Amino acid sequence: MSDPTGHCATSNTESTRSVLSFANALWRVRRPKPFVLVIEGEVGQEAALPSDYLHNKLLLPEWREAFYQLVDATGLVVCLNVHSQHPSYRDVRGRSSKGRLSQGEYYHHDGCTGPVKPRFVEIRCPIQPQTRGVATAVAPHRDVVKAMVQVLPAELAATSALATQDMRPEALDQMDDAALDHLQGLITRTVRKKLNAEGARSYFRRVDAAANAYFEPWALGESRFIANANNGVTMQHRRAYQAPHTGGVANGHLVKRWTNEELLLPGQLVDQALIAALCCEEGDDTERAEGCYLGAH
């Protein structure tokens, strides 16, 4: 492996495309944002049909931890043109309605209610007849909270829940992850209580822009590895409607897994209690929502 967190060749265009040496292969990559690495495929195989290079090369046991560290150090690693039917994926749970936001529409970490959080979450858009029209916004945790403060309407900042909070930029810079989570929970709960559904969605679209979030349209056969709780760049993500949500529009589905906890080496066993606990908080139950997304973390 050569330089897993950077580029090992000079850019071949005025864009950020370059070549990454990893897992005894050369990969065509680009960096659309500082916290994003997009793997387009193996050099020389650009015209090939989609294949499962994710499991057949990048996630082989001898390279798996190095790939995980690449995700840790980058924030978001995107793998394009992957055709996989690996049995560990499951459908993404939770649905949005016109009348209220689902939990997934608020910026969040996976596993935010429990003491143990997945190292990262892999969300995937399988190759399917219907394209995916709803974006998934991804941005660094601290940038998200700063953006939530920056675009917060003055009347919401003056509510009793937030008026006593120190939300100056210099104060945000000094907050640790727990303090950022706490403030974010207060803001999210206030937005949900004071704004209607489309008002809240409009607010979070402004957050997306202010946080410089990555919300490129989903490509069929695309996997996104989002750093979630690690020693590197911690990210957050959300389901992001970029226009008013009116319902009744055909839309491709997503699947997901917590790869570090679920795709294990021979002899390792899945912690079924942890997986069950993480899956439980993905539904739209109001009580779980209050504890997870809308209250203090």
Side-chain angles (χ1 to χ4, degrees):
M1 181 181 65
S2 299
D3 190 19
T5 60
H7 297 151
C8 60
T10 57
S11 177
N12 56 5
T13 69
E14 65 274 16
S15 71
T16 58
R17 278 183 174 83
S18 58
V19 173
L20 173 71
S21 176
F22 186 89
N24 292 329
L26 297 177
W27 304 91
R28 190 75 62 191
V29 300
R30 54 186 169 87
R31 283 192 179 270
K33 294 181 182 293
F35 58 86
V36 183
L37 176 69
V38 178
I39 301 175
E40 297 181 337
E42 194 169 354
V43 173
Q45 303 294 320
E46 289 86 351
L49 293 173
S51 65
D52 196 359
Y53 68 79
L54 183 59
H55 295 92
N56 295 336
K57 293 193 176 183
L58 299 179
L59 291 177
L60 286 176
E62 61 266 34
W63 296 107
R64 193 173 300 170
E65 178 57 28
F67 182 76
Y68 291 173
Q69 290 178 16
L70 178 62
V71 178
D72 289 340
T74 304
L76 170 63
V77 174
V78 178
C79 297
L80 300 179
N81 208 32
V82 175
H83 182 55
S84 179
Q85 295 179 319
H86 198 279
S88 58
Y89 294 109
R90 62 189 174 281
D91 285 341
V92 170
R93 299 173 62 182
R95 295 293 181 267
S96 303
S97 71
K98 291 181 288 184
R100 68 185 182 99
L101 276 66
S102 72
Q103 294 182 26
E105 289 186 72
Y106 301 103
Y107 271 105
H108 64 281
H109 308 288
D110 271 25
C112 63
T113 59
V116 180
K117 299 175 177 60
R119 183 174 177 179
F120 50 80
V121 57
E122 179 191 352
I123 305 177
R124 173 167 176 75
C125 185
I127 294 175
Q128 57 191 299
Q130 180 63 53
T131 58
R132 175 74 177 177
V134 180
T136 298
V138 185
H141 180 206
R142 188 174 299 275
D143 292 350
V144 168
V145 179
K146 286 183 174 181
M148 290 176 69
V149 171
Q150 178 184 333
V151 305
L152 187 66
E155 61 271 21
L156 298 191
T159 59
S160 58
L162 295 175
T164 59
Q165 300 297 311
D166 188 350
M167 296 189 288
R168 296 172 301 152
E170 54 269 30
L172 298 177
D173 287 335
Q174 296 300 315
M175 288 183 181
D176 60 15
D177 287 344
L180 289 170
D181 277 340
H182 176 74
L183 177 59
Q184 183 177 35
L186 294 176
I187 295 174
T188 301
R189 181 167 55 190
T190 300
V191 167
R192 188 191 189 199
K193 286 183 175 180
K194 299 297 184 180
L195 301 179
N196 62 24
E198 282 309 315
R201 289 185 175 115
S202 177
Y203 166 75
F204 278 106
R205 283 193 285 271
R206 295 193 296 274
V207 172
D208 294 340
N212 192 29
Y214 181 86
F215 51 84
E216 292 297 315
W218 281 96
L220 298 180
E222 174 183 355
S223 275
R224 298 183 183 180
F225 291 83
I226 305 169
N228 183 68
N230 53 25
N231 294 321
V233 183
T234 297
M235 312 295 287
Q236 288 192 319
H237 61 285
R238 75 177 195 94
R239 182 187 301 122
Y241 292 93
Q242 295 306 305
H245 179 43
T246 57
V249 178
N251 197 43
H253 74 282
L254 299 177
V255 297
K256 70 179 291 186
R257 67 183 175 187
W258 298 293
T259 316
N260 181 64
E261 289 75 22
E262 296 184 274
L263 186 66
L264 302 181
L265 297 173
Q268 293 181 322
L269 297 176
V270 174
D271 185 339
Q272 297 293 352
L274 170 62
I275 300 304
L278 294 174
C279 286
C280 279
E281 72 175 31
E282 292 192 321
D284 283 331
D285 181 84
T286 301
E287 184 176 352
R288 284 197 298 267
E290 284 293 331
C292 180
Y293 296 91
L294 306 174
H297 286 54

